[in-house]
Amino acid sequence: MSKQTLNNFNPTRDWVLLEDPRKKETEGGIILPDNVKDRLQSNISKILAIGPECKQAEVGDLAMVNPTTSGNIITIEEASYIMIPEHFCMGLFKQ
């Protein structure tokens, strides 16, 4: 079995892979407890990979999503990412 890396991950259908917008520490380096992280979510996240059925999203775009959207959190190489269907994107900032 080949190594599971972000470079060889391809979403299926219309799924979009986003950077995890949840802050893990402050800009000053203070590590945040789990109950605070969820309240400091950003609603804009970079698209890292898209499925073959995505119509508008492109890799590198910034996606605006509702911060309370229930995406799927996945882990690849000890880093967390968010998977959502393309229609969960409220808007895109094209890059």
Side-chain angles (χ1 to χ4, degrees), residues 68-83:
T68 60
T69 294
S70 59
N72 297 310
I73 299 172
I74 65 169
T75 303
I76 300 173
E77 297 181 292
E78 300 181 23
S80 294
Y81 302 94
I82 306 291
M83 291 284 298

Side-chain angles (χ1 to χ4, degrees), residues 11-62:
T12 58
R13 298 191 319 259
D14 71 335
W15 285 92
V16 176
L17 179 70
L18 303 171
E19 287 182 339
D20 189 347
R22 296 173 301 163
K23 294 184 179 187
K24 293 160 186 62
E25 61 183 57
T26 66
E27 290 179 18
I30 298 171
I31 297 173
L32 301 169
D34 288 338
N35 63 341
V36 174
K37 286 182 210 175
D38 292 336
R39 286 185 262 153
L40 296 176
Q41 292 183 34
S42 170
N43 66 334
I44 298 175
S45 189
K46 185 175 182 180
I47 296 175
L48 302 175
I50 60 169
E53 295 175 17
C54 288
K55 305 258 190 268
Q56 296 177 313
E58 296 178 9
V59 173
D61 289 349
L62 297 177

